[in-house]
Amino acid sequence: MLNIVLFGPPGAGKGTQAARLVAKYDLVHLSTGDIFRANIKGETELGKLAKQYIDKGDLVPDEVTIGMLESEVDKNSNANGFIFDGFPRTTVQAEALEQFLASKNTKISVMLALDVEDDELVKRILLRAKDSGRADDADESIIRNRIEVYNKHTAVVADFYAAQNKFEKIDGVGSIDEISERLYNAIDK
Ligand code: AMP
């Protein structure tokens, strides 16, 4: 199985690039942010809970997020592999994913980390807000909080994969095609 953690701060281009990787490598795309938003739209209990955190730009609690992610993996037992987009976002999540995949006799192949500087992220997210309809994209203070949460709680997850020699930093600035090529090269090498 090819199991990729697509990593990077909010606005780094994970969603855009995940769609391309799914098509090229025939993978299942699991974006925890997308799954939460679908639950919010469907007004499920999970959605109601998640919304309280997402609207502020804070992380949804680990136990909720991990349980949700694991059930999504289980729904796709025939997958060739997965792209985990927006997960893991804490070391606790990374450890849980490791154990969960091990219980299925598989593991993460590589973490691809899109690297983009903060001011560019804010610019991109504010532009995306025009179409995304996301409350957490439209307000600069919430965007800044999301980046701060990333720097404080999520950036360290890279160390977890670096310790296993699975960390690949990818320059996230350039055209969408250029960035895709960098990702393909990192996967195929
Ligand atoms: P994203 O679409 O990845 O930018 O995620 C949007 C929001 O969903 C985040 O700001 C968090 O509030 C929440 N979220 C998504 N993934 C996770 C996760 N792995 N852990 C905790 N919260 C998450």
Side-chain angles (χ1 to χ4, degrees), residues 6-21 29 83 85-86 112-116 120-121 124-125 128 146 170-176 179-180 183:
L6 191 55
F7 194 68
K14 298 188 294 294
T16 304
Q17 294 298 336
R20 293 175 157 225
L21 297 179
H29 178 205
I83 297 188
D85 162 4
L112 303 172
L114 292 169
D115 185 37
V116 179
E120 171 69 14
L121 297 171
R124 287 187 189 181
I125 295 174
R128 179 171 80 183
R146 287 162 64 198
I170 308 287
D171 181 0
V173 179
S175 72
I176 293 175
I179 298 164
S180 300
L183 291 167

Side-chain angles (χ1 to χ4, degrees), residues 82-94:
F82 292 91
I83 297 188
F84 298 101
D85 162 4
F87 185 95
R89 254 176 160 99
T90 63
T91 303
V92 170
Q93 292 179 15

Side-chain angles (χ1 to χ4, degrees), residues 8-11 14 31-34 36-37 50 53-62 65-66 68-69 85-90 93 128 134 136-137 142 146 149 154:
K14 298 188 294 294
S31 155
T32 40
D34 285 351
F36 284 132
R37 282 185 289 277
Y53 298 92
I54 293 177
D55 282 354
K56 288 186 268 179
D58 292 334
L59 294 181
V60 178
D62 281 334
T65 309
I66 291 165
M68 178 182 84
L69 188 278
D85 162 4
F87 185 95
R89 254 176 160 99
T90 63
Q93 292 179 15
R128 179 171 80 183
R134 285 175 56 172
D136 63 341
D137 280 352
I142 294 172
R146 287 162 64 198
V149 166
T154 304

Side-chain angles (χ1 to χ4, degrees), residues 96-165:
L97 181 63
E98 179 104 336
Q99 281 187 17
F100 179 69
L101 293 180
S103 77
K104 315 224 163 262
N105 294 316
T106 187
K107 55 186 181 335
I108 292 300
S109 316
V110 66
M111 167 186 264
L112 303 172
L114 292 169
D115 185 37
V116 179
E117 61 150 57
D118 289 2
D119 286 343
E120 171 69 14
L121 297 171
V122 176
K123 255 195 270 169
R124 287 187 189 181
I125 295 174
L126 286 171
L127 195 70
R128 179 171 80 183
K130 294 184 180 149
D131 298 314
S132 75
R134 285 175 56 172
D136 63 341
D137 280 352
D139 179 322
E140 183 160 344
S141 68
I142 294 172
I143 298 170
R144 295 264 176 207
N145 185 47
R146 287 162 64 198
I147 295 172
E148 201 179 309
V149 166
Y150 174 85
N151 288 328
K152 220 173 171 176
H153 301 284
T154 304
V156 291
V157 176
D159 299 341
F160 182 90
Y161 293 98
Q164 302 180 11
N165 274 325

Side-chain angles (χ1 to χ4, degrees), residues 16-29 83 184:
T16 304
Q17 294 298 336
R20 293 175 157 225
L21 297 179
V22 162
K24 187 168 164 73
Y25 297 97
D26 189 21
L27 304 172
V28 171
H29 178 205
I83 297 188
Y184 302 157

